[in-house]
């Protein structure tokens, strides 16, 4: 007999909130009424709230002896359970995140942004500084080399495994991330004659 589990209790379960510009999906875990600023996790391009699934529970628990904190992992527009109507520009996405924060009842948050989510986080802090308490950026888009628009377009239009392999090769400079290249050494590894007693 199968046991039915309430989706809100699953780590992968998302709340889907309705608001102007929504819907917006978010994983919402931890104590909601503790008065502390929640932690808001913003994923990168092509990810979703589940990108953080192995981090959420540890972040909710916090350090040994701490009461824990509320952790929110959002689905940006065009990702996960959120709207497919993508705002114009990443500044529009940052404004959308503020509307999602309002729908979640979050006045101010500590924010962690990865890649494109990092760029959205920077724009959110610039446009709505009163909504950000602290911010951490991981491999933030827009702070280093130029974004490869051709790569992103190809990622969005993948149709075959061969196309995916080509993008993986491009991403890792022709080396597969799980394949270790082995080269035969140019000198003998083992002596050709046996030495010592037989």
């Amino acid at each position: 007999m199968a046991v039915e589990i309430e989706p809100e209790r699953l780590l992968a379960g998302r709340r889907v909130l309705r608001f102007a510009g929504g819907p917006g999906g978010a994983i919402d875990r931890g104590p909601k009424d503790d008065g502390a600023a929640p932690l808001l996790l913003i994923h990168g391009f092509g990810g979703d709230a589940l990108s953080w699934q192995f981090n959420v529970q540890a972040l909710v628990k916090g350090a040994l002896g701490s009461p824990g904190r509320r952790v929110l992992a959002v689905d940006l527009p065009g990702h996960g359970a959120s709207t497919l109507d993508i705002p114009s520009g990443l500044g529009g996405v940052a404004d959308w995140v503020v509307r999602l924060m309002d729908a979640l009842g979050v006045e101010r948050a500590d924010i962690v942004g990865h890649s494109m989510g990092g760029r959205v986080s920077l724009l959110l802090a610039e446009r709505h500084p009163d909504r950000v308490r602290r911010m951490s950026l991981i491999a933030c888009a827009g702070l280093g080399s130029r974004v490869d628009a051709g790569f992103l377009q190809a990622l969005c239009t993948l149709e075959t495994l061969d196309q995916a392999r080509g993008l993986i090769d491009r991403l890792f400079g022709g080396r597969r991330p799980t394949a270790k290249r082995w080269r035969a050494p140019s000198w003998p590894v083992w002596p050709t004659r046996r030495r010592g007693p037989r």
Side-chain angles (χ1 to χ4, degrees):
M1 180 172 141
V3 177
E4 287 190 23
I5 299 173
E6 183 180 332
E8 283 292 315
R9 296 194 186 276
L10 295 174
L11 181 60
R14 292 178 173 93
R15 293 178 61 192
V16 179
L17 299 110
R18 306 281 176 208
F19 58 93
I27 294 173
D28 186 353
R29 299 288 180 269
K32 293 170 182 54
D33 298 323
D34 65 354
L39 181 62
L40 182 70
L41 306 172
I42 304 177
H43 64 81
F45 180 81
D48 63 13
L50 295 179
S51 300
W52 303 99
Q53 67 181 324
F54 298 111
N55 307 104
V56 170
Q57 287 305 99
L59 292 168
V60 166
K61 288 180 187 175
L64 186 63
S66 75
R69 72 184 304 179
R70 184 178 184 191
V71 177
L72 303 158
V74 304
D75 287 329
L76 291 175
H79 300 77
S82 288
T83 181
L84 296 178
D85 296 327
I86 300 170
S88 177
L90 291 180
V93 175
D95 296 339
W96 183 93
V97 171
V98 169
R99 290 194 299 277
L100 177 64
M101 289 171 69
D102 290 341
L104 289 162
V106 173
E107 191 63 36
R108 198 164 183 222
D110 294 337
I111 297 177
V112 176
H114 172 249
S115 190
M116 182 185 77
R119 185 68 177 160
V120 169
S121 300
L122 282 174
L123 292 166
L124 194 154
E126 178 184 32
R127 296 162 80 110
H128 308 277
D130 56 317
R131 305 302 295 265
V132 179
R133 189 175 81 123
R134 293 185 288 197
M135 182 171 44
S136 294
L137 306 174
I138 304 167
C140 183
L143 295 183
S145 58
R146 295 178 53 103
V147 173
D148 185 347
F151 178 85
L152 297 179
Q153 180 65 35
L155 183 63
C156 291
T157 58
L158 281 178
E159 293 181 3
T160 68
L161 268 172
D162 285 338
Q163 289 173 339
R165 285 185 190 105
L167 283 181
I168 290 170
D169 285 346
R170 192 166 158 192
L171 188 61
F172 292 99
R175 293 183 179 189
R176 295 270 159 58
T178 56
K180 188 173 182 178
R181 293 187 183 259
W182 181 83
R183 241 185 260 177
S186 58
W187 66 89
V189 177
W190 297 278
T192 54
R193 287 188 298 161
R194 204 173 170 144
R195 293 184 184 161
R198 290 193 186 231

